[in-house]
């Protein structure tokens, strides 16, 4: 669009074009008439000077076609000058008829033509003035010569007066209709100015032929600033093909067919506005004969949608993906790996003793610590990977391409090294460590796990890393799952034992060895398990304490 410059045509331009056409017609008629007069004077033997004078008037008049009529007619005084130029032909005509009396028969026809021309260009007052001059001029030319019948002269004058009256009435009706049309258009424009949508009408070539006043609000263009511009030239380069296809379908569609599209359009300030356009084909409607397009600015609406999407799928503190987005990415990665036999790895990172750091430095600096850790982890993320924040101090890294168990463990060790350096928070340096659980879906393994199982396996590996002493990275092993299931079963059995009173007390005597006297007893708790028998404290005390 930058390389194309078009001048939009406004209503004033069309009005000026209308006036230019009529002025050109008037110049041709006047110049042709003067040249015919000159030719008649030569043929009938009148003095050459008279013929040369009228010929010169015709030639000079023809030069008016070379003038910049469009710019001249836009001047404020142009209508008055034009009317004066038309009326000036009357005395010239009377001078000619004074010289060539035989041409008096042409006076009514020429006068009628002049009156009709004035009625087509000017208002009824100008027509009335010209009509009076024309009707008064005929007896002035004919009666002094004594060759004309007064009754005939009166009849011709009456006909000229009637013609002037008809032309004045037509001009007045035309002016009234134009005024009513302008008022109706202004009322419509006043209503459309309050609309939040811009309305355009385009022709079969896709060129804008009408724009509502609200287009200034939506796109910023001045009133009628889009007229004459192909709509497609306003499209963003990335939306040109989409808009062209939409316009083609709209223009070639059936009557009343509606089409909808979203596209970015250039605004008057050179920016881009995201819009939703709905168009309806009205070419079969004789009153419209155009495609009517409704343009709505949806930039703020889409921005709000994107903001809500970010809030729903992104962590507000770090800007990383949240648990919901990670869950979706993991599901897609697992499904893609199942189709393409690719390996997928998930690393879950949990900061060790983050609660103590949070209590020591405060929430604000703790948030700064999380952002710093997120930035450090982000340095090891490829474009195809996904780094997410799952909770207060928990992160996850999904790796989808060129990964195996050894590479995943190596990556985990690098992440630990990246986390260990102290972080400057306010006036103190804070050091944190992390534990990492790694779960890998091997390529080509039948019955591959789903997304939930991959997340569960990574969490189990993380728990094992925490239990093993923290600040380490462990790979998931199926035995971890067995251990967890065993622990869950023990918890359930322990809760049932409390309800069913399966715990019993055994008393063990305390004997004084030198005297062999019973000095007391020790109460010991035992678990009378329904299937495993009597269990000692080592089987349930650690579980109860946890």
């Amino acid at each position: 669009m930058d390389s194309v410059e078009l001048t939009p045509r406004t209503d004033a331009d069309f009005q000026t074009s209308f006036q230019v056409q009529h002025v050109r017609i008037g110049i041709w008629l006047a110049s042709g008439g003067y040249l015919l007069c000159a030719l008649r004077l030569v043929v009938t033997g009148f003095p050459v000077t008279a013929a040369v004078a009228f010929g010169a008037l015709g030639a000079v008049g023809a030069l008016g076609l070379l003038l910049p009529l469009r710019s001249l007619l836009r001047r404020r005084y142009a209508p008055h000058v034009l009317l004066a130029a038309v009326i000036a032909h009357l005395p010239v005509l009377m001078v000619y008829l004074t010289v060539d009396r035989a041409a008096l028969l042409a006076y009514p026809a020429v006068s009628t033509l002049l009156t009709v021309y004035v009625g087509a260009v000017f208002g009824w007052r100008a027509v009335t003035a010209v009509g009076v001059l024309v009707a008064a001029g005929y007896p002035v030319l004919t009666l002094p010569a004594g060759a004309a019948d007064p009754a005939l002269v009166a009849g011709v004058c009456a006909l000229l007066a009637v013609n002037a009256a008809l032309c004045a009435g037509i001009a007045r009706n035309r002016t009234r209709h134009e005024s009513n049309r302008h008022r109706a258009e202004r009322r419509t424009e006043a209503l459309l100015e309050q609309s939040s949508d811009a309305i355009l009408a385009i022709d079969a070539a896709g060129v804008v032929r009408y724009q509502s006043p609200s287009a200034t609000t939506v796109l910023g263009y001045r009133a009628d600033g889009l007229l004459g511009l192909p709509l497609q030239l306003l499209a963003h380069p990335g939306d040109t093909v989409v808009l062209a296809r939409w316009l083609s379908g709209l223009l070639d569609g059936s009557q009343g067919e509606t089409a909808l599209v979203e596209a970015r359009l250039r605004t008057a300030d050179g920016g881009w506005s995201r819009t939703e356009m709905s168009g309806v084909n009205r070419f079969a409607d004789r009153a419209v004969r155009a495609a009517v397009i409704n343009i709505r600015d949806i930039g703020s609406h889409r921005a709000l949608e994107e903001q809500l999407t970010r809030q729903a799928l992104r962590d507000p503190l770090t800007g990383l993906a949240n648990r919901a987005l990670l869950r979706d990415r993991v599901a897609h990665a697992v499904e893609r790996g199942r189709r393409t036999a690719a390996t997928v790895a998930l690393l879950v990172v949990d900061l060790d003793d983050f609660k103590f750091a949070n209590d020591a430095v405060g929430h604000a600096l703790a948030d700064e610590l999380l952002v710093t850790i997120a930035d450090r982890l982000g340095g090891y993320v490829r474009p195809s990977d996904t780094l997410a924040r799952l909770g207060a101090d928990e992160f996850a890294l999904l790796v989808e391409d060129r990964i195996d168990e050894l590479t995943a463990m190596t990556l985990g060790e690098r992440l630990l090294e990246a986390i260990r350096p102290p972080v400057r928070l306010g006036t103190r340096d804070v050091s944190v460590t992390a534990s990492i659980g790694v779960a890998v879906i091997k390529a080509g393994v039948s019955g591959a796990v789903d997304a939930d199982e991959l997340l569960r396996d990574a969490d189990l590996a993380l728990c094992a890393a925490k239990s093993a002493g923290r600040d380490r990275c462990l790979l998931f092993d199926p035995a971890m799952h067995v251990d967890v299931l065993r622990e869950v079963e023990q918890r359930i059995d322990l809760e049932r034992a409390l309800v069913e009173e399966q715990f019993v007390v055994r008393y063990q005597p305390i004997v004084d060895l030198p005297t062999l006297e019973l000095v007391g007893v020790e109460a010991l708790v035992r678990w009378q398990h329904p299937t495993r028998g009597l269990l000692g404290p080592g089987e349930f005390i650690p579980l109860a304490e946890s």
Side-chain angles (χ1 to χ4, degrees):
M1 179 176 177
D2 294 338
S3 61
V4 179
E5 293 184 0
L6 296 176
T7 302
R9 301 190 66 190
T10 65
D11 286 341
D13 293 329
F14 287 113
Q15 183 67 23
T16 302
S17 299
F18 175 80
Q19 294 177 349
V20 168
Q21 292 176 358
H22 281 78
V23 170
R24 290 183 183 277
I25 292 173
I27 290 176
W28 280 111
L29 291 175
S31 300
Y34 288 140
L35 293 177
L36 288 176
C37 291
L39 180 61
R40 174 176 171 77
L41 292 176
V42 172
V43 172
T44 55
F46 281 91
V48 178
T49 54
V52 171
F54 280 96
L57 286 176
V60 172
L63 293 177
L65 296 172
L66 303 178
L67 295 175
L69 298 177
R70 184 177 299 276
S71 60
L72 292 176
L73 290 175
R74 286 176 176 171
R75 300 181 182 275
R76 182 175 55 184
Y77 52 81
H80 305 288
V81 174
L82 184 59
L83 179 61
V86 172
I87 296 177
H89 292 298
L90 286 175
V92 177
L93 176 62
M94 297 183 70
V95 170
Y96 173 77
L97 295 177
T98 303
V99 177
D100 186 3
R101 307 296 298 183
L104 280 173
L105 295 176
Y107 182 86
V110 175
S111 300
T112 299
L113 179 61
L114 180 62
T115 305
V116 171
Y117 177 79
V118 173
V121 179
F122 302 97
W124 66 273
R125 291 185 177 86
V127 177
T128 302
V130 172
V132 170
L133 293 176
V134 167
Y138 187 68
V140 172
L141 292 173
T142 55
L143 292 179
D149 183 3
L152 179 62
V153 172
V156 172
C157 290
L159 290 176
L160 293 177
V162 170
N163 175 67
L166 290 175
C167 291
I170 293 173
R172 186 170 185 175
N173 289 335
R174 174 175 55 80
T175 303
R176 184 182 299 111
H177 287 314
E178 289 180 354
S179 177
N180 292 336
R181 179 176 61 85
H182 285 308
R183 282 197 296 269
E185 290 178 351
R186 185 67 193 100
R187 284 195 298 268
T188 303
E189 290 178 355
L191 294 175
L192 292 176
E193 283 177 357
Q194 306 305 318
S195 174
S196 60
D197 299 349
I199 299 176
L200 304 181
I202 62 173
D203 58 19
V207 177
V208 178
R209 294 307 179 192
Y210 169 80
Q211 73 173 82
S212 65
S214 54
T216 302
T217 303
V218 176
L219 298 175
Y221 292 94
R222 62 179 177 85
D224 302 328
L226 294 174
L227 298 184
L229 290 175
L231 180 61
Q232 192 169 346
L233 290 181
L234 300 177
H236 187 277
D239 297 331
T240 301
V241 176
V242 174
L243 185 60
R245 188 182 302 114
W246 178 77
L247 280 175
S248 177
L250 176 63
L251 298 177
D252 297 337
S254 58
Q255 167 69 9
E257 183 175 351
T258 302
L260 186 68
V261 71
E262 289 188 12
R264 289 163 292 179
L265 298 181
R266 183 185 292 274
T267 57
D269 58 4
W272 300 101
S273 175
R274 181 176 291 184
T275 63
E276 179 184 74
M277 293 185 286
S278 61
V280 59
N281 189 319
R282 294 294 184 188
F283 285 100
D285 188 343
R286 294 185 178 180
V288 181
R289 294 190 180 278
V292 180
I293 298 176
N294 189 83
I295 301 177
R296 175 175 300 173
D297 184 357
I298 60 172
S300 57
H301 178 69
R302 287 291 180 264
L304 179 59
E305 286 185 350
E306 293 173 358
Q307 180 181 357
L308 293 177
T309 301
R310 285 193 301 270
Q311 292 176 352
L313 300 177
R314 294 286 176 179
D315 174 56
L317 177 62
T318 61
L320 301 177
N322 61 10
R323 182 179 292 273
L325 181 56
L326 177 70
R327 173 66 180 77
D328 182 72
R329 296 279 178 86
V330 171
H332 283 85
V334 170
E335 181 61 28
R336 186 162 46 251
R338 184 178 292 113
R339 293 195 311 266
T340 61
T343 302
V344 178
L346 180 65
L347 292 82
V348 178
V349 182
D350 187 84
L351 302 182
D352 298 328
D353 298 324
F354 177 75
K355 182 179 183 302
F356 296 106
N358 190 18
D359 295 340
V361 300
H363 294 294
L365 293 179
D367 288 344
E368 185 178 340
L369 173 62
L370 290 173
V371 172
T372 302
I373 297 300
D375 291 340
R376 291 180 179 180
L377 295 178
Y380 293 87
V381 177
R382 301 173 301 180
S384 59
D385 301 338
T386 300
L387 178 63
R389 183 187 178 203
L390 304 183
D393 58 350
E394 189 174 5
F395 300 86
L397 176 59
L398 175 66
V399 184
E400 302 184 44
D401 187 27
R402 297 189 301 276
I403 191 73
D404 54 26
E405 294 180 350
L406 179 59
T407 307
M409 291 298 294
T410 302
L411 176 59
E413 294 296 338
R414 290 179 178 175
L415 296 181
L416 292 176
E417 294 176 1
I419 295 173
R420 289 187 185 113
V423 178
R424 188 70 176 179
L425 298 177
T427 59
R428 66 176 68 182
D429 291 332
V430 177
S431 297
V432 293
T433 60
S435 300
I436 300 178
V438 180
V440 178
I441 298 179
K442 298 180 180 179
V445 175
S446 60
V449 297
D450 58 18
D452 292 331
E453 291 178 349
L454 183 63
L455 289 167
R456 182 205 61 194
D457 293 347
D459 283 334
L460 290 177
L462 174 63
C463 292
K466 291 280 189 181
S467 301
R470 307 184 179 184
D471 191 20
R472 66 191 61 210
C473 177
L474 288 184
L475 180 67
F476 171 76
D477 186 275
M480 297 178 181
H481 189 204
V482 175
D483 294 338
V484 170
L485 291 178
R486 183 184 300 111
E487 181 179 351
V488 171
E489 291 177 356
Q490 290 177 349
R491 288 178 181 272
I492 295 174
D493 290 344
L494 186 63
E495 293 176 356
R496 184 183 299 114
L498 290 173
V499 175
E500 298 179 358
E501 297 182 352
Q502 296 177 5
F503 293 99
V504 296
V505 179
R506 294 291 186 264
Y507 297 97
Q508 179 173 299
I510 302 175
V511 179
D512 184 19
L513 291 179
T515 63
L516 297 178
E517 292 182 359
L518 180 66
V519 295
V521 293
E522 182 180 9
L524 303 176
V525 178
R526 297 292 183 267
W527 182 3
Q528 188 65 50
H529 196 280
T531 58
R532 297 172 60 189
L534 191 63
L535 302 179
E539 295 288 340
F540 61 87
I541 292 299
L543 182 61
E545 291 177 346
S546 65

